[in-house]
Amino acid sequence: MDLLTDENIIKFPIEKELLEDMEIFGVNRDWFIPFLEENEQLKINLGNLDQWIGIPDENGLKHVKLDIKFVVVNPDFILGRFNRGYEGIIELTEAEEMELHITLPLGMKMEREGEFSDITLTRVDDDNKSVSIPASSVLDEDRKRRYDFLVNSEHLKSILSHEKGDELVKLDYEVVNEKEYYVISVIGLGLFVFALYRMTDMFDGQIKFDIRYLAAAVAFISLYITMLREKYEIPFRKVLVYTTVFIGIELIFELLME
């Protein structure tokens, strides 16, 4: 968050028990900034403004750049059918110019409607007032994709009325699975069908042990468990859990009957 101020204490409205684990760092002071949550207000103590790097503007206002990190309690996500992506929704009051960084789970990317990946800001009381903001950059952060956005005054002016200063704004974005992870889902479903076929033959006494099938099934189960442990998001996740369990049970029966 960037702002110009001549106040030592700045205040923002904050909904009670909505955020936790907050920390505020003064970028152009190189110092963690103390704050207090009180009476549904976030009070940030900037201290002596002379300690912030930069000179006041012609109105005597000092540039303050804050890096605010927090965890949203019970965030609003709308999951796609069969766990194929999701829509993230955040509601903001007192919308300000800000740098926004969105880091996605492993195996996910933003929906690309055009050349860029966008977020959308919409005025809650007027769906016709919306603006799409393209990503300024896309980076890899611990194998996860991080999308950077810059919300500026022109974006806000295009959706906010000048009469109100506390309008509710909805920020949303769409996320989908990387295409290559659909291959894992297809392989899992294929092995499930083959395991079902082999179990049917097994009870008819017609099954023959196949080391190639055993190797393929064990490799898939190992890969799938590893990806779950590392918290990859895979399409058809719930379906794959049951199919993988079935493949494992079928393998155990084959080994016991061998």
Side-chain angles (χ1 to χ4, degrees):
M1 177 183 293
D2 284 274
L3 64 151
L4 293 171
T5 183
D6 58 0
E7 300 287 340
N8 301 103
I9 304 291
I10 56 175
K11 301 176 183 179
F12 298 97
I14 183 172
E15 188 173 334
K16 190 176 182 181
E17 298 180 351
L18 177 65
L19 309 177
E20 61 182 25
D21 297 335
M22 180 179 289
E23 65 178 34
I24 302 176
F25 184 76
V27 177
N28 57 327
R29 188 184 172 184
D30 196 26
W31 198 266
F32 282 96
I33 308 303
F35 63 91
L36 178 66
E37 297 178 44
E38 184 178 67
N39 299 327
E40 296 192 353
Q41 278 193 326
L42 176 64
K43 299 180 179 180
I44 303 175
N45 186 355
L46 300 178
N48 186 350
L49 293 178
D50 291 335
Q51 295 178 344
W52 293 78
I53 297 173
I55 59 175
D57 66 4
E58 62 274 12
N59 297 315
L61 302 178
K62 196 69 176 282
H63 173 231
V64 170
K65 185 178 182 68
L66 300 175
D67 184 8
I68 304 176
K69 296 181 180 180
F70 53 82
V71 174
V72 178
V73 179
N74 296 323
D76 191 3
F77 290 104
I78 301 176
L79 287 176
R81 194 175 182 185
F82 299 114
N83 292 93
R84 293 183 299 132
Y86 63 86
E87 180 181 7
I89 301 173
I90 302 171
E91 291 190 345
L92 309 168
T93 56
E94 299 286 346
E96 301 278 349
E97 294 187 21
M98 60 182 171
E99 294 177 8
L100 182 66
H101 312 285
I102 299 177
T103 303
L104 303 183
L106 288 167
M108 308 294 286
K109 66 177 182 178
M110 278 197 171
E111 181 75 56
R112 297 178 70 90
E113 296 181 356
E115 184 179 354
F116 300 101
S117 302
D118 296 348
I119 57 173
T120 302
L121 291 180
T122 306
R123 206 169 86 195
V124 171
D125 62 355
D126 188 350
D127 290 341
N128 294 320
K129 295 289 186 178
S130 65
V131 59
S132 294
I133 303 173
S136 57
S137 63
V138 182
L139 305 173
D140 286 330
E141 189 173 78
D142 296 329
R143 296 180 295 150
K144 300 176 183 178
R145 290 194 181 202
R146 193 190 86 181
Y147 294 80
D148 300 329
F149 299 90
L150 178 60
V151 180
N152 60 42
S153 58
E154 295 302 316
H155 296 137
L156 298 173
K157 287 178 182 178
S158 67
I159 62 172
L160 298 178
S161 66
H162 297 291
E163 292 79 14
K164 299 179 181 179
D166 58 351
E167 291 166 303
L168 192 62
V169 175
K170 181 180 73 172
L171 182 155
D172 66 281
Y173 57 94
E174 294 185 7
V175 174
V176 296
N177 297 92
E178 295 273 14
K179 290 182 179 179
E180 52 263 37
Y181 294 101
Y182 279 91
V183 176
I184 296 172
S185 300
V186 171
I187 292 174
L189 293 173
L191 283 172
F192 167 73
V193 173
F194 195 54
L196 188 62
Y197 170 78
R198 289 182 67 83
M199 181 168 280
T200 302
D201 283 352
M202 185 191 311
F203 290 128
D204 291 340
Q206 301 175 2
I207 193 74
K208 290 184 179 181
F209 184 76
D210 189 337
I211 188 64
R212 293 171 299 178
Y213 167 69
L214 175 64
V218 170
F220 172 77
I221 292 173
S222 299
L223 174 63
Y224 185 63
I225 291 175
T226 298
M227 297 188 76
L228 287 180
R229 187 183 299 118
E230 295 184 2
K231 299 183 179 180
Y232 277 86
E233 291 295 330
I234 305 172
F236 306 101
R237 177 172 178 154
K238 291 183 179 179
V239 175
L240 278 178
V241 169
Y242 295 112
T243 58
T244 304
V245 170
F246 180 83
I247 293 169
I249 293 173
E250 193 277 332
L251 278 179
I252 292 173
F253 273 117
E254 280 203 31
L255 293 173
L256 290 175
M257 295 180 66
E258 178 62 21

